[in-house]
Amino acid sequence: MKIQLSEHFTYRKLLTFVFPSIVMMIFTSIYSVVDGLFVSNYVGKTALAAINLILPFMMGISALGFMIGTGGSAIVGKTLGEGRHEKANEYFSMLVYVTVVLGIAVTVLGELFVPVMAKALGAEGELLSNCVLYGRLTLISMPAFMLQNVFQSFFVTAEKPKLGLGVIVTAGVTNMVLDLLFVGIFGWGLAGAGVATVCGEFIGGLFPIFYFSRKNSSLLRLGRTHFDGDVLLKTCVNGSSELMTNISSSIVNALYNMQLMELAGENGVASYGTIMYVNFVFISIFLGYSIGSAPIISYHYGAGNGDELRSLFRKSLRLIGAWGAGLAVLAQLLAYPAAKVFVGYDSELLAMTEQGFRIFCLVYLINGFNIFGSSFFTALNNGVVSAVISFLRTLVFQIGAVLILPGIFGMDGIWSAVVVAELLTLCVTLTFFVGCRKKYHYA
């Protein structure tokens, strides 16, 4: 059953429509998780620490794709809601072409600056050489990875979330199979993990190009366009929250790693990396829901359907609250087995990781509301409010917490910093929900 953006969304329709996006985000998170799993068990904790150190730099670069995808899909979705289909396709095409050019440019610059960034993050000796090896290999597919991030949003806007899911599942399975082959069987070590990631990302980024370039049954198609600086600027402002989220996360993760290097050395970095791998999968539910629901919100905002906006807003908050409680309980149950899968070969590292995750997982009671809040205002084409929420959530509050709390509580302060930061952000998110309700008529 095909569900159109213009329909009234019951709980069943809403969940059916966003489910592919949720699964899509889970498989996207599998890229780094699977790499970490195989590298940790087959290569060792130094190689695992290398991935964890350089990964924030890589994710910071790829954030441009998230910015264009989320910001652009909000504009395209609103334009479709206004009934201007041809103009929506022009905007879509221009944004995809811009992503290709940006992807090539950041790849070239990234290849040059990987050693500098690795040294700045505290890597030396074998750790430094591993960081440079993994970073330079995975940068090869950065343009494709950025396109993959862009198309995650546009597949939903095109009313093809299941196709988007199929692409990501194929890319994820490719990555997993090749990790098993290159790292587990051939013994290529860290290089094998990097090559496996590159292959998966090429599938995720290039297949959508072929699909949208040809005649298809979706709402969108790549074609002729012209450069529109105003639309690009609005896209960047609209998607600035997602850019801020990824860049800030990269900065904060680097800060966490530096603090952990001082408190616990490579063990601390490896432990934090393991917690982040599990966290990637858990928050994928909130991220996937936000990506899947955003085009619906943008469409009905553009069409002036206030009743549907109110319905979507209420349903979303209820779903996120229920999921958050469920994830917090599940995380407590999985703390030991999840840690053992990654670092079961080292008892000290296993105990540190389990303890850290039991504290960290309290964040799932809170962060879903903040993730949705930022995405919600992006979908309403209010990039400023969205960016403020993301800026405070992922940078200001987290930096303050990670600098202050470890001095008081030691390692437990590291693990609880994100919980405190999300709680402070929730106060801001609720303030914006209440303050903007009359302007957008969603409550």
Side-chain angles (χ1 to χ4, degrees):
M1 178 180 68
K2 182 179 179 181
I3 300 175
Q4 297 180 321
L5 296 176
S6 56
E7 295 184 32
H8 167 65
F9 281 79
T10 61
Y11 277 107
R12 182 178 180 181
K13 280 187 179 179
L14 181 58
L15 289 171
T16 300
F17 192 82
V18 302
F19 180 74
S21 296
I22 293 173
V23 179
M24 183 168 65
M25 283 305 301
I26 291 173
F27 268 85
T28 300
S29 69
I30 283 175
Y31 285 141
S32 55
V33 173
V34 172
D35 279 357
L37 180 63
F38 276 93
V39 167
S40 178
N41 285 281
Y42 286 94
V43 189
K45 63 183 181 183
T46 299
L48 176 63
I51 293 180
N52 297 336
L53 273 178
I54 203 62
L55 195 60
F57 174 62
M58 308 300 295
M59 295 308 295
I61 293 175
S62 69
L64 290 169
F66 283 109
M67 177 187 71
I68 294 174
T70 53
S73 65
I75 292 174
V76 172
K78 180 174 180 288
T79 306
L80 288 170
E82 294 167 345
R84 298 187 295 150
H85 291 254
E86 184 176 342
K87 185 60 67 174
N89 276 287
E90 288 183 13
Y91 295 161
F92 165 65
S93 299
M94 181 197 71
L95 294 172
V96 170
Y97 302 151
V98 166
T99 303
V100 173
V101 174
L102 281 176
I104 295 172
V106 299
T107 294
V108 173
L109 292 174
E111 293 284 359
L112 294 174
F113 285 101
V114 164
V116 177
M117 290 302 302
K119 289 179 182 178
L121 294 170
E124 297 177 348
E126 183 184 359
L127 188 62
L128 174 61
S129 60
N130 282 338
C131 284
V132 174
L133 172 64
Y134 187 79
R136 283 184 164 162
L137 275 174
T138 52
L139 272 166
I140 294 171
S141 59
M142 184 57 67
F145 187 48
M146 287 173 59
L147 282 170
Q148 175 181 302
N149 295 336
V150 167
F151 285 121
Q152 281 180 358
S153 297
F154 279 122
F155 267 123
V156 182
T157 306
E159 296 181 346
K160 292 291 182 180
K162 291 182 180 179
L163 180 58
L165 170 61
V167 172
I168 296 301
V169 168
T170 302
V173 170
T174 299
N175 187 33
M176 288 187 284
V177 171
L178 292 181
D179 265 322
L180 174 62
L181 186 65
F182 295 160
V183 183
I185 297 177
F186 291 170
W188 291 358
L190 194 59
V195 173
T197 297
V198 168
C199 293
E201 289 176 352
F202 270 123
I203 291 174
L206 298 185
F207 173 81
I209 291 285
F210 295 119
Y211 175 78
F212 285 111
S213 296
R214 306 173 65 182
K215 186 176 180 180
N216 60 75
S217 58
S218 78
L219 295 179
L220 300 175
R221 184 178 179 183
L222 287 171
R224 288 190 172 187
T225 186
H226 64 278
F227 182 78
D228 190 324
D230 290 338
V231 170
L232 180 59
L233 177 61
K234 191 171 182 180
T235 294
C236 294
V237 172
N238 234 13
S240 60
S241 59
E242 281 65 32
L243 177 67
M244 179 58 63
T245 296
N246 283 273
I247 291 180
S248 298
S249 295
S250 298
I251 294 171
V252 169
N253 286 341
L255 183 59
Y256 269 84
N257 285 330
M258 286 189 284
Q259 289 278 68
L260 286 163
M261 283 290 283
E262 290 187 10
L263 289 171
E266 286 184 7
N267 272 5
V269 176
S271 180
Y272 178 67
T274 299
I275 293 172
M276 287 299 100
Y277 290 140
V278 181
N279 180 58
F280 288 159
V281 178
F282 274 50
I283 66 169
S284 292
I285 294 176
F286 299 132
L287 293 171
Y289 180 82
S290 297
I291 290 173
S293 63
I296 307 172
I297 294 166
S298 296
Y299 184 95
H300 287 285
Y301 171 57
N305 296 333
D307 289 341
E308 190 63 22
L309 277 179
R310 284 189 286 274
S311 174
L312 288 166
F313 182 71
R314 289 194 300 269
K315 288 181 174 69
S316 296
L317 294 184
R318 290 167 186 163
L319 289 170
I320 287 168
W323 290 337
L327 286 175
V329 172
L330 182 62
Q332 287 289 342
L333 296 174
L334 293 178
Y336 177 77
K340 189 171 184 179
V341 166
F342 281 90
V343 293
Y345 54 81
D346 188 314
S347 58
E348 180 184 352
L349 186 54
L350 174 61
M352 180 189 298
T353 304
E354 181 189 359
Q355 169 70 5
F357 192 51
R358 291 195 184 280
I359 298 172
F360 182 94
C361 71
L362 296 175
V363 76
Y364 303 125
L365 296 169
I366 308 166
N367 63 355
F369 296 105
N370 294 327
I371 292 169
F372 173 73
S374 178
S375 173
F376 182 70
F377 285 107
T378 296
L380 293 175
N381 284 246
N382 191 333
V384 175
V385 170
S386 180
V388 169
I389 294 173
S390 292
F391 180 70
L392 294 175
R393 170 180 170 254
T394 58
L395 189 65
V396 176
F397 291 149
Q398 282 210 51
I399 286 180
V402 78
L403 288 177
I404 295 171
L405 294 181
I408 303 173
F409 303 107
M411 287 295 293
D412 287 349
I414 289 278
W415 309 132
S416 61
V418 68
V419 181
V420 173
E422 291 285 0
L423 187 59
L424 292 172
T425 307
L426 182 60
C427 297
V428 177
T429 301
L430 293 176
T431 300
F432 280 123
F433 277 159
V434 173
C436 297
R437 69 191 189 283
K438 292 182 179 179
K439 179 178 179 180
Y440 296 106
H441 310 292
Y442 54 78

